């Protein structure tokens, strides 16, 4: 909305711009134009001055021209008819002897967003591509991409593409990089610019002439080229080796990614590149920019998935500073947990304990949870810290400690006695639902070891009418019935009151159904109730699975130097699928047709067209397929798909031995993005399980069948749509889970 009094201001400026005395004085004229631009940026409508500003462009003063061009580009969409009057002036300036004027006019002409502008800018752009001044060629190359954006449905001009391929040999490095980006934009529907051997070698030889941003761009485009032999590969790596020591983090990240991609079949090359990149990554983790720090920390976490000890000697670099935002502190604490070993566990735990009393409740709880994760390996040291935190009697700290106790007891049975002795009196300082659920679970499962457990549960039951969380009520029902099975005399009366309230007065249907289930279960007898509810109190095998074995570098090499480590691979895949993604991030192997010489732009264009016309080829051996989280399948939809599809493959896998608990198997599969839809009871024969997973646009359905105790596991796979690589990826992941479960069962049996 224009400011009050803008009409008078516009009239005054219009008189000044039309005054011959002002026009004859260059300084006064420029100052009036400056006032116009100032008022325009402040929100006043200066469109009525368009004709006077177009006249002001006829000057030799470059500063005045820049101001006038800025005005015209701002109002061209609002005044398209009047903007056409400025075309003649711009065309005249495109032929000016001064290269600065020519480039400025060409750049601003391409910025005029108005209908019909393409026919006016095509010829100046083609002339600018052949201009002697590099500044004009830079503007002309970018103008080609803008011209394509103005008419996205128009047919690609082969002459322009040929000119751009030819300009890849330009002496000016900025022109060369601009050509790559322009070709990428113009040939976006055809798959982008083709990087063949001559072009790749030319780009590599020009790397030292580029600035850091140009180097990052070129390194990204070089991901599309695959050397033909090992000698060529090592020549390329030798040329790029010096860039791993660059002072610019973007160049180091792009070079590292290229090393990881080219060395996909050479693990030693990948490890060496990550070793060289460790110093720059650590420097980026302490950069002044918070955003850069966060991205670097995400990449450090990614490297630790394959090289757990890679940053072990530098763990102090990940200690939190008081001035850092919480999102950086959270990430640093996650990294500290992964770097814990026998030598630094004491120092790391002391550092984490300091964070537990932070003024931010979220940060304090995250630090307590981090201590709990360390406690899965160093339980005694962590238990002493957690028990000491209970003495602070602060609500958020007590709640987080009790939740951590619950997880530790489940994964580390040896902690049960210490935990049961520590939680007395915690109920007075817990108000949130998560903490209440954890405490109620501990009282129900380990109530026989806690003297006052019935009386604590009774307090929860007495306050049931004021409890808002259905999850707490559900946990309270199960815990009270479990405690009744071990301490009936103390629990019988309050259990009756709890069931009566939940059945007759509770409005939440899930709570009411759970109460009816417990009531009918107790009617079947105590032994039947004990068989149903008296499950295991701990499952140490989950600790082995949660330990996450080392991943091959190739599993995440393609995500390095992208936003996938920041968003997570699944979220980034969904985001790029929604927005169309960026072709420049996708490595592409050029075919045999892409052998054209750098001097032959026509052959390069033909290679690009051939690559675009070809059907989508399956990934090469260096590309890793992964299982991703996707939309859940209902049992009905799974059944319809299963009956409609033909089996794609039938294989036999080794069974881990013994009967695996359904909860353990389901948790292990979920860690690798395989969803278990239905599982038979552990001792049932035949034993069956139905699974599904998503992998790069396809859904894999699986049936696991075990007929006898001695037999193996028969796996039947179906797929929609068909993709052989996805089946292989699914089977590889499934075999890894089964082997992990088998090793865990064997180690537990030998320990017993």
């Amino acid at each position: 909305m224009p400011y009050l009094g803008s009409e008078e201001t516009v009239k005054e400026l219009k008189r000044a711009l039309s005054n011959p005395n002002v026009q004859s004085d260059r300084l006064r004229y420029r100052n009036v134009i400056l006032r116009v631009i100032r008022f325009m940026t402040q929100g006043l409508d200066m469109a009525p001055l368009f004709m006077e500003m177009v006249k002001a462009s006829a000057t030799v003063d470059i500063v005045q021209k820049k101001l006038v061009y800025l005005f015209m580009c701002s109002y061209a969409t609002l005044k398209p008819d009047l903007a056409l009057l400025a075309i003649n002036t711009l065309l005249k300036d495109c032929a000016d002897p001064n290269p600065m004027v020519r480039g400025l006019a060409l750049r601003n002409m391409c910025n005029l967003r108005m209908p019909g502008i393409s026919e006016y800018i095509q010829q100046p752009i083609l002339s600018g591509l052949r201009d002697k001044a590099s500044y004009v060629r830079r503007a002309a190359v970018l103008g080609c991409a803008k011209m394509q954006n103005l008419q996205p449905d128009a047919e690609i001009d082969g002459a322009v593409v040929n000119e751009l391929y030819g300009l890849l040999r330009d002496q000016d490095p900025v022109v060369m990089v601009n050509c790559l980006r322009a070709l990428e934009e113009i040939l976006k529907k055809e798959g982008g610019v083709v990087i063949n051997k001559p072009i790749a070698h030319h780009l590599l030889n020009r790397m030292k002439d580029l600035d850091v941003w140009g180097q990052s761009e070129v390194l990204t485009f070089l991901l599309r080229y695959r050397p033909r032999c090992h000698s060529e590969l090592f020549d390329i790596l030798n040329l790029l080796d010096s860039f791993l020591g660059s002072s610019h983090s973007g160049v180091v990240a792009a070079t590292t990614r290229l090393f990881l991609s080219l060395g996909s079949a050479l693990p030693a090359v990948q490890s060496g590149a990550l070793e060289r990149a460790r110093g720059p990554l650590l420097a980026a983790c302490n950069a002044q920019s918070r955003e850069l720090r966060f991205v670097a920390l995400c990449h450090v976490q990614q490297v630790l998935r394959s090289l757990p000890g890679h940053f072990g000697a530098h763990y102090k670099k990940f200690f939190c500073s008081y001035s850092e935002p919480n999102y950086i502190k959270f990430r640093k604490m996650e990294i500290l947990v992964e770097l814990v070993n026998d030598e630094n566990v004491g120092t790391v735990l002391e550092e984490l304990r300091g964070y537990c009393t932070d003024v931010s409740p979220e940060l304090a709880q995250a630090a307590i949870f981090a201590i709990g994760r360390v406690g899965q390996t160093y339980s005694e040291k962590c238990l002493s810290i957690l028990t000491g935190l209970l003495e602070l009697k602060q609500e958020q700290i007590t709640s987080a400690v009790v939740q951590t106790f619950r997880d530790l007891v489940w994964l580390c049975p040896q902690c049960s006695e210490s935990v049961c002795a520590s939680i007395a009196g915690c109920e007075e300082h817990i108000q949130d639902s998560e903490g209440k659920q954890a405490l109620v679970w501990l009282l129900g499962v380990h109530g026989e070891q806690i003297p006052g457990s019935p009386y604590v549960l009774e307090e929860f039951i007495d306050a049931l009418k004021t409890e808002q969380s259905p999850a707490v009520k559900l946990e309270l029902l199960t815990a009270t019935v479990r405690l009744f099975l071990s301490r009936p005399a103390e629990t019988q009366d309050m259990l009756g009151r709890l069931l009566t309230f939940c059945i007759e007065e509770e409005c939440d249907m899930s709570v009411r159904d759970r109460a009816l289930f417990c009531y009918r279960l107790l009617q079947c007898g105590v032994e039947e109730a004990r068989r149903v509810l008296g499950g295991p109190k701990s499952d140490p095998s989950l600790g082995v699975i949660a330990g996450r074995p080392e991943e091959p570098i190739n599993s995440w090499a393609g995500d390095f130097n992208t936003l996938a480590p920041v968003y997570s691979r699944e979220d980034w895949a969904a985001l790029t699928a929604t927005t169309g993604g960026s072709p420049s991030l996708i490595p592409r192997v050029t075919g045999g047709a892409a052998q054209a010489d750098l001097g032959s732009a026509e052959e390069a264009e033909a290679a690009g067209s051939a690559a675009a016309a070809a059907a989508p080829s399956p990934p090469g051996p260096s590309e890793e397929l992964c299982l991703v989280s996707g939309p859940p399948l209902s049992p009905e939809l799974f059944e319809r798909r299963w009956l409609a599809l033909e089996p794609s493959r039938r294989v036999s896998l080794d069974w881990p031995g013994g009967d695996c608990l359904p909860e353990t198997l389901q948790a292990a599969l979920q860690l690798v993005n395989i969803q278990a839809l239905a599982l038979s009871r552990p001792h049932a024969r035949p034993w069956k399980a139905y699974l599904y997973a998503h992998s790069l646009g396809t859904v894999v359905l699986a049936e696991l069948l075990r007929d006898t105790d001695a037999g193996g596991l028969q796996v039947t796979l179906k797929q929609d749509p068909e993709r052989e690589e996805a089946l292989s990826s699914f089977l590889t992941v499934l075999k890894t889970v089964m082997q992990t479960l088998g090793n865990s069962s064997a180690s537990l049996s030998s320990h017993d």
Side-chain angles (χ1 to χ4, degrees), residues 372-617:
R373 291 196 296 273
V374 177
Q376 297 177 16
T377 307
Y378 304 95
S379 55
E380 294 183 3
K381 296 181 179 180
C382 295
L383 279 175
S384 62
I385 294 177
L386 295 172
T387 305
L389 291 173
L390 290 177
E391 299 176 359
L392 299 176
K393 298 181 180 181
Q394 295 184 14
E395 178 184 332
Q396 72 273 11
I397 293 179
T398 304
S399 174
V401 170
V402 171
Q403 294 176 58
T404 305
F405 278 162
R406 175 196 57 193
D407 299 337
L408 278 178
V409 166
W410 182 252
L411 296 174
C412 308
Q414 68 273 14
C415 301
S416 301
E417 184 176 351
S418 301
V419 168
C420 292
S422 303
I423 63 173
C426 291
E427 68 278 1
E428 301 176 2
H429 309 287
I430 297 179
Q431 300 297 328
D432 62 308
S433 60
E434 291 81 5
K436 290 179 181 179
Q437 292 177 58
L439 179 60
V440 170
W441 184 88
L442 286 169
L443 294 172
V445 175
H446 299 277
E448 68 277 4
Q449 303 179 43
I450 305 173
S453 58
Y455 311 106
V456 177
L457 286 180
E458 190 171 16
E459 293 180 9
F460 282 105
I461 294 173
D462 293 339
L464 200 60
K465 291 184 178 181
T466 59
E467 179 59 54
Q468 300 295 324
S469 173
V472 174
K473 297 177 182 178
L474 292 172
E475 195 65 61
L476 187 60
L477 278 167
T478 305
T480 307
V481 176
R482 281 179 170 173
L483 190 59
F484 171 75
L485 298 177
S486 59
R487 302 173 69 169
E490 300 168 279
T491 317
Q492 182 176 1
D493 179 65
M494 64 181 184
L495 176 59
R497 288 188 284 119
L498 176 62
L499 292 176
T500 301
F501 175 82
C502 291
I503 293 174
E504 296 180 357
E505 301 183 36
E506 178 60 42
C507 298
D508 191 279
M509 293 305 297
S510 60
V511 177
R512 183 175 180 273
D513 290 345
R514 177 72 64 86
L516 287 170
F517 169 78
C518 294
Y519 176 75
R520 291 163 183 163
L521 181 63
L522 290 172
Q523 285 182 323
C524 297
V526 175
E527 292 302 324
E528 182 66 16
R530 183 173 284 111
R531 188 185 67 82
V532 174
L533 297 177
K537 298 182 179 181
S538 63
D539 193 355
S541 62
L542 281 180
V544 178
I545 298 172
R548 195 176 62 186
E550 297 180 12
E551 300 179 15
I553 295 177
N554 286 333
S555 64
W556 51 263
D559 298 333
F560 199 84
N561 196 31
T562 69
L563 290 178
V566 178
Y567 284 96
S568 82
R569 174 180 289 182
E570 295 80 9
D571 293 344
W572 178 242
L575 182 62
T576 51
T578 303
T579 59
S582 175
S584 64
L585 299 179
I586 305 174
R588 180 157 55 91
V589 181
T590 55
Q595 299 293 327
D597 184 74
L598 180 62
S600 177
E602 292 82 358
E603 293 183 22
E605 181 193 3
S609 302
S617 58

Side-chain angles (χ1 to χ4, degrees), residues 625-674:
L625 284 170
C626 64
L627 304 181
V628 298
S629 59
L633 293 182
S634 64
E636 296 79 10
L637 180 58
F638 184 95
E639 182 179 6
R640 286 199 301 268
R641 285 196 175 188
W642 184 264
L643 295 176
L645 297 173
E646 294 294 329
S648 301
R649 190 183 299 183
R650 288 188 173 92
V651 296
S652 179
L653 300 180
D654 294 332
W655 181 254
D659 288 304
C660 184
L661 291 174
E663 297 85 356
T664 302
L665 179 59
Q666 190 169 6
L669 293 172
Q670 286 179 348
L671 287 173
V672 292
N673 290 324
I674 298 178

Side-chain angles (χ1 to χ4, degrees), residues 36-265:
V36 173
I37 300 299
R38 186 182 304 115
F39 286 128
M40 180 186 72
T41 57
Q42 291 176 356
L44 273 71
D45 183 14
M46 297 286 111
L49 302 177
F50 198 90
M51 286 300 302
E52 286 73 16
M53 293 294 285
V54 170
K55 294 177 182 177
S57 63
T59 178
V60 295
D61 187 355
I62 295 181
V63 176
Q64 182 173 320
K65 279 184 179 292
K66 287 184 178 181
L67 295 173
V68 174
Y69 288 160
L70 173 62
F71 180 89
M72 288 193 297
C73 292
S74 299
Y75 286 104
T77 54
L78 300 177
K79 302 284 185 178
D81 297 335
L82 295 178
L84 288 175
L85 300 177
I87 295 295
N88 289 333
T89 302
L90 291 170
L91 289 174
K92 180 181 178 182
D93 286 346
C94 287
D96 194 273
N98 189 342
M100 186 66 69
V101 175
R102 296 199 302 270
L104 186 64
L106 182 58
R107 186 177 67 182
N108 286 276
M109 189 184 297
C110 295
N111 288 336
L112 293 175
R113 303 296 179 179
M114 48 183 290
I117 191 65
S118 299
E119 59 181 293
Y120 295 102
I121 64 176
Q122 185 174 9
Q123 187 56 44
I125 286 176
L126 291 176
S127 301
L129 293 176
R130 305 181 184 93
D131 199 282
K132 294 181 179 180
S134 60
Y135 176 73
V136 181
R137 296 198 300 273
R138 296 177 188 179
V141 169
L142 295 179
C144 294
K146 294 179 181 178
M147 185 170 60
Q148 182 65 28
N149 282 334
L150 291 173
Q151 295 179 322
D153 298 329
E155 185 178 354
I156 296 176
D157 190 343
V160 174
V161 173
N162 287 337
E163 287 284 349
L164 292 176
Y165 269 113
L167 283 175
L168 288 176
R169 298 172 298 168
D170 196 278
Q171 295 180 354
D172 185 65
V174 179
V175 173
M176 183 186 72
V177 176
N178 287 355
C179 282
L180 289 173
R181 295 307 304 172
L183 285 170
E184 182 70 15
E185 186 69 26
I186 295 172
L187 302 175
K188 181 166 52 177
K189 295 181 180 179
E190 284 72 21
V193 60
V194 176
I195 305 297
N196 52 36
K197 182 176 180 179
I199 293 178
H201 287 197
H202 174 72
L203 295 177
L204 287 166
N205 291 327
R206 295 291 302 276
M207 280 286 292
K208 293 183 178 180
D209 301 331
L210 305 174
D211 59 7
V212 291
W213 301 108
Q215 290 173 356
S216 300
E217 289 281 350
V218 170
L219 289 167
T220 303
F221 281 106
L222 286 173
L223 287 168
R224 302 180 176 185
Y225 178 68
R226 288 294 178 272
R228 301 295 188 268
C229 59
H230 280 288
S231 60
E232 182 186 2
L233 169 63
F234 285 106
D235 287 342
I236 293 175
L237 295 180
N238 289 332
L239 280 173
L240 296 174
D241 184 71
S242 60
F243 295 99
L244 286 173
S246 172
S247 59
H248 191 270
S249 57
V251 175
V252 175
T255 308
T256 304
R257 185 185 178 192
L258 185 55
F259 265 75
L260 297 179
S261 177
L262 295 177
S264 56

